[in-house]
Amino acid sequence: MILDAHQQAAVETTEKRVLVSSSPGAGKTRTICARYEYMVTKLHIPASQIAVITFTRYAAGELRNRIGPSIGSSFLGTFHAFALKIIEMYGDRRKWSPEYLTILDESETRLDEDEILHDLGVKTRKGTWSRITAGDWEKFKRQTSCGMSDGITGAVMEQCESVWLAFRDRLRSQNTLTFDLILSEALALMDDPEIMAQLRARWRHFLVDEAQDADARQYELVERFMPETLMLVGDVDQTVYGWRGARPDLFLNF
């Protein structure tokens, strides 16, 4: 693989925490793939100890195609796929049956939410809200799923939390997860010191692509591992998921 001097420096660095910030078309994906190959072939890091994480399934597919068969037993996928992997491994500790999990899509999630909101008297069948507003509920969900601080406090927070707990209990009774709940459930499992110790022993090196679009919970998911090496690759000028909690400031402050 042909690399320029800057890419080569990123690939062969001996630093434990590395940020690769670049512009469109400058070879970020090429660099992260070359770094992976260097780790496996030159540093002799077992593939099974490496996690390659990105933000979209499309980007994950691109990385898999470029790295090829040498990806071996490494994990390669999105943040949510990585979190789901953790739930599949340890979800029974939180009363999930990993082999039968169902993931709701956005429309299905909305229908289940509405049922809970109706049952608790927070929202009528005609769409009228009581005690909280539609905006409060949306802000609370962002705060819960992305780690954003949206200013939900006091009685409004208590009401939202009661709805959220009822919603989560219903999903658990159906052995069903939403897209947003995948991350929070994985992080809850990682609160168990025994589970966290086993996870750290399994994945010790992380390469994160498209890191400018990661939110606070996704950063936390990786940082909890206290990786032996961690490389973030991205471009803040290409941040496109701010509306879903992307935190390019965390990328810049890494």
Side-chain angles (χ1 to χ4, degrees), residues 35-50 205:
R35 174 63 178 174
Y36 176 87
E37 294 287 352
Y38 185 81
M39 291 168 70
V40 172
T41 61
K42 301 298 183 181
L43 301 181
H44 305 294
I45 295 172
S48 60
Q49 294 180 4
I50 303 173
H205 306 270

Side-chain angles (χ1 to χ4, degrees), residues 193-204:
E194 179 186 354
I195 291 175
M196 195 67 253
Q198 292 176 17
L199 289 172
R200 286 187 181 127
R202 176 163 183 172
W203 288 295
R204 301 181 182 182

